[in-house]
Amino acid sequence: METISTSRCFGGTQGIYAHASAETRTRMRFSAFVPPQAEQGPVPVVWFLSGLTCTEENFTVKAGAQRMAAALGLMLVAPDTSPRGVDDGGETVPDDPEGAWDFGLGAGFYVDATEAPWARNYRMFSYISDELPQLIAGAFPADMNAQGIMGHSMGGHGALTIALRHPGRFRSVSAFAPIVSPLNCPWGEKALGGYLGPDRSRWRAHDTVALIEDGARCPHILVDQGMADGFVASQLKPDLLEAACNAAGQPLTLNRRDGYDHSYYFIASFMEDHLRWHAAALRD
C-alpha cells in the first residue's frame, strides 16, 4: 500500500492511499479518515460508496463528514468508483466507446462484469466486498466486527446491494438518493446490460428491490431523498424501494427532503444524521 498523502483533521488523520488490486488488475485509490479514538484501539468503520463520475475525492472533500466522524469515533473509508489507467498486463482500462459519463470509467456500478471487454478489470463488487476490506483490516485500526456502509446514487445502489448480499456483515446501512432498481431505470439498464449481458434474470443480484423481493434482508435501512432531485422519477424511484420493504417487512426509514437536489450540498446537509445513525448501531 502506498501513502499518497496524510493530513491532521479534527484530531484524527485524513489519508489518501493506493495499492495494486488483484481484482481490477489496476492501481486503485481510496481515502481513509482515522479518528483520534483509534489511538486507544480499533474503531468501527463506515464505508462510503460514491456515485457516477466520482472518485474517492468527492466524498472526502465535499461531504463534511470528518468532524462528526471524529466526535463519534468512526473510521471512514471511501474507495474509487471504477478501475482506471493501464492494468498489470499493459492494457488500457476500457471506457464508454461514446465517451458517456454514465458507463465505464467512474461508473463501475459495483458489479463484477462478465462481458467483454469489461470483465478483465470491472470487478468492483468483489473489490469492495472482499479485497479492500482485507487490506483495511490488515493496515488500519479498524474493528471489522463493527462495520456500516452507505453511499450516494450509484453508490447508494452499491451500499444497499452489498449489504443485502452479505447478511450479518454490516450492522448499519444507509443511502443518499440511491438507485434502488437498476432493472427499472435507464442508468441501470445501460450499466447492467453492458457489464452483465442481456439476460435480465442475472441482474436481480444487483438490484435492491429485486433482492428484497427474493428474500434478502439487512439491518434497518435509512434513506434520504431530495425531492427537488431531477433524477427522482426517471432513475431513483424511491417509491419502489418503499413498496418492496413494506411488502417484505424489511425495516426502512425513508426521508423525503423537500427542496433538496442530488448534489453534495444535499449530502452534507444530512451527513450528521447518517453518521449518528451508524454510530448508534455500531455501538449496540
Side-chain angles (χ1 to χ4, degrees):
M1 188 180 70
E2 173 191 354
T3 300
I4 296 173
S5 68
T6 57
S7 298
R8 197 70 171 161
C9 184
F10 294 104
T13 301
Q14 177 62 64
I16 306 295
Y17 307 91
H19 70 110
S21 167
E23 289 290 351
T24 69
R25 304 181 64 172
T26 64
R27 182 175 182 265
M28 295 293 294
R29 289 168 56 112
F30 66 92
S31 82
F33 173 74
V34 179
Q37 293 84 345
E39 295 178 4
Q40 278 71 53
V43 294
V45 57
V46 178
W47 304 85
F48 186 92
L49 306 185
S50 293
L52 293 165
T53 76
C54 291
T55 69
E56 78 290 339
E57 183 179 32
N58 298 73
F59 169 78
T60 305
V61 303
K62 293 182 178 181
Q66 292 92 342
R67 178 186 63 82
M68 187 52 54
L72 297 170
L74 299 175
M75 180 183 302
L76 303 175
V77 179
D80 200 351
T81 56
S82 79
R84 302 176 191 269
V86 176
D87 71 15
D88 57 11
E91 300 288 335
T92 300
V93 173
D95 193 7
D96 187 288
E98 298 179 357
W101 55 271
D102 57 357
F103 189 73
L105 299 183
F109 242 81
Y110 304 102
V111 303
D112 287 346
T114 58
E115 304 299 298
W118 317 103
R120 178 179 173 89
N121 307 116
Y122 282 76
R123 295 186 52 80
M124 293 301 294
F125 180 82
S126 290
Y127 176 72
I128 299 298
S129 298
D130 301 317
E131 184 176 15
L132 188 56
Q134 292 177 29
L135 187 152
I136 295 298
F140 292 89
D143 180 356
M144 302 304 282
N145 293 315
Q147 294 186 67
I149 191 167
M150 63 176 170
H152 170 230
S153 195
M154 176 186 73
H157 141 79
L160 294 174
T161 55
I162 288 171
L164 286 163
R165 290 183 58 182
H166 294 86
R169 180 185 296 186
F170 300 99
R171 289 163 52 184
S172 56
V173 185
S174 74
F176 297 90
I179 301 169
V180 302
S181 187
L183 278 157
N184 292 291
C185 73
W187 281 342
E189 290 181 347
K190 179 176 181 178
L192 298 191
Y195 294 136
L196 303 179
D199 182 357
R200 293 175 66 91
S201 67
R202 297 172 59 197
W203 302 6
R204 295 185 69 84
H206 296 283
D207 183 294
T208 298
V209 169
L211 283 165
I212 292 171
E213 290 174 347
D214 293 346
R217 297 291 182 270
C218 66
H220 195 141
I221 298 169
L222 170 64
V223 170
D224 273 84
Q225 175 62 64
M227 299 313 293
D229 186 325
F231 301 117
V232 171
S234 61
Q235 305 282 8
L236 307 177
K237 305 188 177 182
D239 293 351
L240 295 181
L241 176 64
E242 187 172 51
C245 288
N246 287 341
Q250 165 65 52
L252 169 71
T253 297
L254 173 57
N255 298 315
R256 293 176 171 88
R257 304 293 190 178
D258 290 340
Y260 286 89
D261 59 19
H262 199 69
S263 72
Y264 267 85
Y265 296 115
F266 159 61
I267 295 171
S269 298
F270 300 102
M271 179 56 63
E272 179 174 341
D273 294 350
H274 282 243
L275 291 179
R276 289 190 180 278
W277 167 279
H278 286 276
L282 296 174
R283 291 204 177 96
D284 286 345

